Amino acid sequence: MHKDFAPDSPRADEIGFDDFLKVDIRVGEIVRAETFPEARNASYKIWIDFGPVIGEKKSAAQITVNYTLDELAGRRVMAVVNFPPRQIGPVRSEVLVLGFADKDGAIRLAQPDGDVPLGARLA
């Protein structure tokens, strides 16, 4: 786990509300997940549907410790949709899926509570 994400890491620098609004965090639903054997760290390739405006996007996620492929399809997740794409080995990751490190440093996905429409933006 990166030291900046540890539970005992210091609070990040203060930002203004306008800075926060620049980060576009949306709700999507995982429609498909596959193993990613070429990844340096154990990861899955996932495809997420963000609804009609943003559509389906691909990402790579290091979530293999807490999730099996079978339990990912249909799961709602939160992701940053306005970072530039990032090449991770042979995969072009188009969104950053959000999560929190558990006590062992493995990622737990951030997800909305209740039924939220696909593409809904974090308010």
Side-chain angles (χ1 to χ4, degrees):
M1 168 180 12
H2 191 279
K3 67 178 178 58
D4 290 342
F5 302 114
D8 60 351
S9 63
R11 190 176 83 167
D13 292 339
E14 191 173 280
I15 62 171
F17 190 69
D18 289 341
D19 293 322
F20 171 74
L21 290 176
K22 292 177 186 176
V23 181
D24 192 352
I25 299 172
R26 304 282 180 132
V27 171
E29 182 173 291
I30 298 175
V31 294
R32 173 168 124 231
E34 297 177 359
T35 58
F36 186 10
E38 306 91 352
R40 190 175 315 146
N41 299 312
S43 302
Y44 293 138
K45 294 182 277 190
I46 56 177
W47 287 260
I48 306 165
D49 179 10
F50 291 97
V53 173
I54 295 173
E56 189 174 295
K57 299 292 180 183
K58 184 170 32 172
S59 188
Q62 294 179 23
I63 56 173
T64 60
V65 172
N66 288 318
Y67 303 95
T68 65
L69 288 174
D70 292 337
E71 61 189 333
L72 289 173
R75 182 179 293 271
R76 296 271 169 118
V77 296
M78 298 166 59
V80 176
V81 299
N82 66 331
F83 283 158
R86 186 171 183 191
Q87 195 69 35
I88 301 175
V91 173
R92 183 175 167 93
S93 187
E94 301 171 300
V95 297
L96 175 65
V97 178
L98 301 176
F100 296 91
D102 64 18
K103 65 179 178 56
D104 299 317
I107 300 301
R108 294 270 176 189
L109 292 167
Q111 53 191 55
D113 182 26
D115 189 23
V116 179
L118 296 181
R121 186 169 179 180
L122 181 70

